[in-house]
Amino acid sequence: MIVEYRQQPFDVPNVFAVVEIKFPGDWVKAKQLGDYAKLMGQDNQKLALLRVPEDCTEYRPETDPKKEAGHSGGRRNR
């Protein structure tokens, strides 16, 4: 949870957002998001989902078939 004002009590009116971070293999579950909404008084506008690495700004999926097959390549000379 991210609070609006750090010096104020940690309660729902002071919560800026609830952020759920998902890594590969960790799936979004409706019950989990529902529990967050319930915790926040059904205010879904304060819920955020971050998927790593998909939601990272510089992420580009691997397209090299050798790497997808499990081969590790080093850095290419430029």
Side-chain angles (χ1 to χ4, degrees):
M1 291 188 174
I2 302 169
V3 295
E4 289 274 355
Y5 304 102
R6 291 180 284 165
Q7 302 303 322
Q8 292 186 4
F10 192 80
D11 58 2
V12 174
N14 190 32
V15 172
F16 174 76
V18 175
V19 181
E20 175 64 22
I21 302 173
K22 294 293 184 183
F23 295 92
D26 188 11
W27 307 107
V28 178
K29 296 178 178 79
K31 181 183 180 333
Q32 184 179 25
L33 294 180
D35 288 345
Y36 284 134
K38 185 190 236 181
L39 179 69
M40 297 306 300
Q42 302 305 322
D43 187 355
N44 291 334
Q45 293 182 357
K46 291 187 175 189
L47 302 178
L49 176 66
L50 175 66
R51 296 168 302 158
V52 175
E54 292 88 345
D55 291 333
C56 298
T57 58
E58 296 298 320
Y59 173 72
R60 299 288 180 262
E62 191 62 59
T63 56
D64 184 347
K66 290 180 183 175
K67 288 184 182 179
E68 288 178 4
H71 300 285
S72 62
R75 293 184 113 188
R76 293 182 194 157
N77 292 334
R78 294 182 187 195

